[in-house]
Amino acid sequence: MISDWLTSDKIKAIDSIDNWKNAVLLSAEPLLTQGYVTSNYIEAIFKSHEELGPYYVLAPGLAMPHARPEQGAIKNGLSLLHIRDGVSFSSDENDPVYVVIMLCAHSGDEHITMITELAEIFSDEDKLSRLLKAADLNAIQAAIN
Amino acid sequence: MKKVLIVCGNGLGSSFIVEMNVKKILKEINKDAEVAHTDMTSAKSESADIILSAKDIAEHLSGHSAKVFGLSNLLDNNKIKEILEENI
């Protein structure tokens, strides 16, 4: 279950944020403080955004920042930041982004299960639209379960 | 058999999600193809008939021999279905 990874201590809901970099930083905070990633991981995300653009903004309203395992992932994990007013990632057709799901994949079969389950939520139009609109912890948990 | 390659910046997160969706769609439309995912650097030296990627990535792959489709919405399975139906 995706809720096994996205526990309440890894979900945050806020009203607004000034820019995409701060959104990525804030979404990473639980993974950083709980030892899932090192700060290198976040720097790698910023670097690939600079080089390749916001390719990790998957669909309207949804971003999934991540880097490679060797760029500072310590354990497999997920965190979620919900921004009620949305924020621009300079991804013209997908802005504003309301949900930032940070993915850290370290190794093994577990991350495959994790990404498979995420894909199921993302590919279910009803679940995804509920997630994008869910502006508090209870609503977010209801949308991902 | 035709080969579909899904490319993202890191070759693990978004490309993997799209790979799963592509496999599902191929089954749905009763077509067979080899499906794989990879990162942008490796993609340049990998052969394929069709490449699916985010728009930003597609711009970097313009010299590839495959037919490259840049998607602004990677989760738009109707669009992906259309591409697969027409090209496989």
Side-chain angles (χ1 to χ4, degrees), chain A residues 48 51-60 62 64 66-69 71 90-94 103 105 111-113 115-120 122-123 125 128, chain B residues 7-18 20-21 24 37-42 44 53-60 71-78:
Chain A
S48 70
E51 285 168 4
L52 303 172
Y55 68 88
Y56 55 85
V57 182
L58 303 182
L62 177 70
M64 189 182 72
H66 59 283
R68 294 195 58 80
Q71 290 172 315
S90 306
S91 171
D92 21 305
E93 284 161 70
N94 295 327
L103 165 76
H111 88 268
I112 296 177
T113 317
I115 297 174
T116 309
E117 291 191 15
L118 267 186
E120 273 165 29
F122 293 167
S123 307
E125 274 175 44
L128 181 59
Chain B
V7 183
C8 76
N10 296 300
L12 60 95
S14 26
S15 56
F16 186 42
I17 289 181
V18 177
M20 285 187 284
N21 289 339
K24 228 187 279 170
H37 71 276
T38 189
D39 64 277
M40 209 189 70
T41 319
S42 322
K44 289 183 177 164
S53 77
K55 237 186 186 171
D56 305 299
I57 302 288
E59 287 165 17
H60 294 268
L71 302 163
S72 58
N73 180 349
L74 286 170
L75 301 175
D76 186 349
N77 286 336
N78 290 326

Side-chain angles (χ1 to χ4, degrees), chain A residues 77-95:
Chain A
L78 290 175
S79 62
L80 188 153
L81 174 68
H82 194 284
I83 307 146
R84 202 194 57 186
D85 297 342
V87 68
S88 165
F89 271 71
S90 306
S91 171
D92 21 305
E93 284 161 70
N94 295 327
D95 277 340

Side-chain angles (χ1 to χ4, degrees), chain B residues 17-87:
Chain B
I17 289 181
V18 177
E19 179 183 351
M20 285 187 284
N21 289 339
V22 165
K23 285 182 173 161
K24 228 187 279 170
I25 293 166
L26 285 171
K27 235 182 231 168
E28 243 178 71
I29 60 174
N30 228 340
K31 296 211 179 194
D32 218 7
E34 193 188 333
V35 189
H37 71 276
T38 189
D39 64 277
M40 209 189 70
T41 319
S42 322
K44 289 183 177 164
S45 56
E46 202 162 323
S47 70
D49 298 287
I50 297 167
I51 288 182
L52 298 176
S53 77
K55 237 186 186 171
D56 305 299
I57 302 288
E59 287 165 17
H60 294 268
L61 292 169
S62 52
H64 204 284
S65 60
K67 218 166 162 183
V68 182
F69 294 91
L71 302 163
S72 58
N73 180 349
L74 286 170
L75 301 175
D76 186 349
N77 286 336
N78 290 326
K79 175 83 191 160
I80 293 175
K81 193 172 172 178
E82 232 172 72
I83 294 171
L84 295 174
E85 274 175 337
E86 282 169 22
N87 294 283

